Amino acid sequence: MNYIVQNVNLEVNVVSNDSEIKNKTAFRISWIDIMKGYCMLFVMLHHLNTATYSFPSLYSSFYAPFFLTAFFVSGGLTYSTKRGFWKYLLNKTITLLVPLFTLGLIAILSSQVISFNEQESAGSQIIDLFVQVGTEGHKLWFIAAMFVYCIVFCPIAKLLQNKPYCILLAVSGLLIINIVLQYCTPMGQLPWHIESLGHGLFWIGIGYFLKLKKNKIASLLSRKRQYLLLVFVVVLYAGLLCISILVLNTGYMAFGSADFYGFSILLNGAGVAFIMLISKLTPQFRFIQYIGRSTLFYFAFHGKVQSLLFWIFSKLSILEFLNEYAVITSIVITLIEAVILLIPSELFNLFLPFTVGKKYDKDRLKKIFGRRKNENSTCQ
């Protein structure tokens, strides 16, 4: 167990001042992993708000504008035009579509063996998983949405390659079309990744625009200026949240919100700017970074751990206490979930990496089993 925890972080080499890291299997930007890690923790926190347990609504008002939106912005920040469309499609099929169905099927079948909540039949859950409309299938809507948004964005980026303002104009137009359709037609009958396609493309486009303008932004924003910008963004974000809660009486404006379109997009943008700057300027906790690299697994299985924990809490008759101090206990429960998922996540990375969109790390497996062989021979 100690070995697994110690090896939660892959061996990396620092390659630039922008916290870019490279390992044997993939090129990663550490602050983006940290941003995704923070957002994943907020997703887990959000799913604690159930019929038997609820935390202050101000929590969800705070994180709602960015905890989903930032994932799609990160998709643009890491997008590359190096691959052709078909190679890009193959890559996203391996890294998103295969995990969607493998993790989904594992979650569904395991729930038929052991579950702490009432479950639909396995057949109906599997159908929901494939059509992404039903209640059970929608639990993994985010993975399906990211796949669809990325694939649709690819030809836009190829067509308007190295024309950041044209890309910004194109995705803005698609967002407006999406908003008009939301306003004029009844929504809720199609999968979310279709209903909110314009929203997803817009935020991926924003991320890609920032990537293309990365050098210019870096030349304008020294470290000191980034801290000053963070102060400005915090004040702006706090002001917009006050308007949302006190004036508009809308405390929850998340990705794809159908209320106050222009304001919600502005609030989402301020929220994303806030979490981006926090991720770049605060200490890089390896635990958060690991969660950011393992979002697919955490997204798929945190609900299972949550159900287990609340089953234990109910048996211990402490739900009333947890609700009374929900301001603190909700954060503690979320962190407990995240820690519990560390070991199974690492086991999937090692032995079933295709289920989380990764490749087998043969060198790491040899190192683990080679060490065990040496230990056994020493004991003998």
Side-chain angles (χ1 to χ4, degrees), residues 42 45-46 49 53 55-66 237 251-252 325-331:
F42 283 120
L45 176 65
H46 181 68
N49 213 11
Y53 180 83
F55 50 78
S57 59
L58 281 176
Y59 273 11
S60 56
S61 298
F62 165 71
Y63 62 70
F66 64 79
Y237 189 44
Y252 185 83
Y325 298 98
V327 173
I328 298 172
T329 58
S330 57
I331 297 172

Side-chain angles (χ1 to χ4, degrees), residues 348-365:
F348 268 68
N349 285 334
L350 281 171
F351 302 110
L352 296 170
F354 67 92
T355 64
V356 288
K358 298 177 182 179
K359 297 178 180 179
Y360 278 98
D361 190 339
K362 295 179 180 178
D363 292 338
R364 197 162 166 216
L365 286 170

Side-chain angles (χ1 to χ4, degrees), residues 233-375:
V233 169
V234 168
V235 173
L236 174 64
Y237 189 44
L240 292 173
L241 285 175
C242 288
I243 294 173
S244 172
I245 297 167
L246 302 176
V247 179
L248 302 178
N249 295 316
T250 306
Y252 185 83
M253 284 193 174
F255 166 82
S257 176
D259 297 318
F260 306 102
Y261 293 108
F263 181 82
S264 67
I265 291 166
L266 177 63
L267 181 59
N268 287 176
V272 169
F274 166 77
I275 196 64
M276 285 176 65
L277 286 166
I278 288 292
S279 302
K280 286 178 71 73
L281 298 176
T282 54
Q284 298 188 0
F285 301 109
R286 292 183 176 182
F287 175 57
I288 304 297
Q289 195 171 337
Y290 178 78
I291 295 172
R293 291 201 301 265
S294 309
T295 50
L296 295 181
F297 185 87
Y298 272 73
F299 193 82
F301 292 108
H302 73 273
K304 300 289 183 185
V305 176
Q306 178 184 318
S307 298
L308 170 62
L309 288 176
F310 276 89
W311 178 78
I312 295 172
F313 296 153
S314 65
K315 294 296 181 182
L316 296 175
S317 302
I318 59 172
L319 278 175
E320 185 177 346
F321 168 81
L322 295 174
N323 273 289
E324 185 176 355
Y325 298 98
V327 173
I328 298 172
T329 58
S330 57
I331 297 172
V332 173
I333 293 169
T334 299
L335 292 176
I336 291 172
E337 284 183 31
V339 171
I340 290 173
L341 285 166
L342 275 174
I343 293 177
S345 171
E346 193 65 3
L347 291 174
F348 268 68
N349 285 334
L350 281 171
F351 302 110
L352 296 170
F354 67 92
T355 64
V356 288
K358 298 177 182 179
K359 297 178 180 179
Y360 278 98
D361 190 339
K362 295 179 180 178
D363 292 338
R364 197 162 166 216
L365 286 170
K366 287 179 181 177
K367 189 180 295 184
I368 293 172
F369 289 107
R371 177 177 294 188
R372 287 181 179 176
K373 286 181 180 179
N374 292 334
E375 289 176 352

Side-chain angles (χ1 to χ4, degrees), residues 175 178-179 182 195-203 255-257 261:
L175 173 63
N178 197 156
I179 290 173
Q182 279 182 291
E195 289 192 345
S196 299
L197 179 61
H199 290 273
L201 292 174
F202 175 76
W203 291 112
F255 166 82
S257 176
Y261 293 108

Side-chain angles (χ1 to χ4, degrees), residues 14-232:
V14 178
V15 298
S16 81
N17 293 329
D18 194 29
S19 300
E20 295 180 353
I21 59 175
K22 187 174 183 180
N23 58 44
K24 294 180 180 180
T25 57
F27 182 81
R28 307 195 68 93
I29 301 173
S30 60
W31 73 263
I32 293 180
D33 283 334
I34 290 169
M35 179 175 72
K36 290 163 66 177
Y38 282 132
C39 290
M40 189 65 240
L41 286 174
F42 283 120
V43 169
M44 294 164 68
L45 176 65
H46 181 68
H47 289 162
L48 288 178
N49 213 11
T50 62
T52 58
Y53 180 83
S54 61
F55 50 78
S57 59
L58 281 176
Y59 273 11
S60 56
S61 298
F62 165 71
Y63 62 70
F66 64 79
F67 82 129
L68 296 176
T69 311
F71 280 113
F72 300 114
V73 173
S74 71
L77 287 167
T78 55
Y79 177 80
S80 174
T81 56
K82 291 181 180 179
R83 292 189 181 95
F85 175 77
W86 295 110
K87 286 186 177 180
Y88 183 75
L89 176 62
L90 177 61
N91 174 261
K92 290 302 173 186
T93 299
I94 293 171
T95 57
L96 290 173
L97 204 58
V98 171
L100 169 66
F101 294 120
T102 53
L103 293 177
L105 288 171
I106 290 171
I108 290 169
L109 295 176
S110 63
S111 68
Q112 302 301 306
V113 178
I114 181 170
S115 177
F116 302 97
N117 297 315
E118 188 175 342
Q119 297 287 330
E120 295 181 13
S121 67
S124 63
Q125 288 189 55
I126 291 171
I127 293 172
D128 289 345
L129 174 67
F130 277 84
V131 299
Q132 283 294 301
V133 175
T135 303
E136 293 301 315
H138 235 166
K139 289 180 179 178
L140 298 180
W141 72 269
F142 164 76
I143 304 176
M146 183 62 85
F147 174 79
V148 172
Y149 299 160
C150 288
I151 296 306
V152 176
F153 181 75
C154 181
I156 297 173
K158 285 286 185 182
L159 184 65
L160 302 174
Q161 192 169 359
N162 298 324
K163 296 178 181 178
Y165 291 103
C166 291
I167 290 173
L168 201 59
L169 186 63
V171 295
S172 298
L174 292 170
L175 173 63
I176 292 171
I177 292 172
N178 197 156
I179 290 173
V180 171
L181 289 174
Q182 279 182 291
Y183 184 77
C184 297
T185 60
M187 306 296 278
Q189 303 301 314
L190 296 173
W192 202 352
H193 55 264
I194 295 177
E195 289 192 345
S196 299
L197 179 61
H199 290 273
L201 292 174
F202 175 76
W203 291 112
I204 290 178
I206 291 291
Y208 190 53
F209 176 85
L210 292 174
K211 179 182 180 179
L212 293 178
K213 290 292 183 179
K214 173 184 171 181
N215 292 334
K216 189 171 184 179
I217 293 171
S219 66
L220 293 173
L221 291 177
S222 63
R223 192 75 171 177
K224 183 178 179 180
R225 287 181 178 178
Q226 287 181 39
Y227 281 108
L228 291 173
L229 179 60
L230 176 60
V231 173
F232 170 77

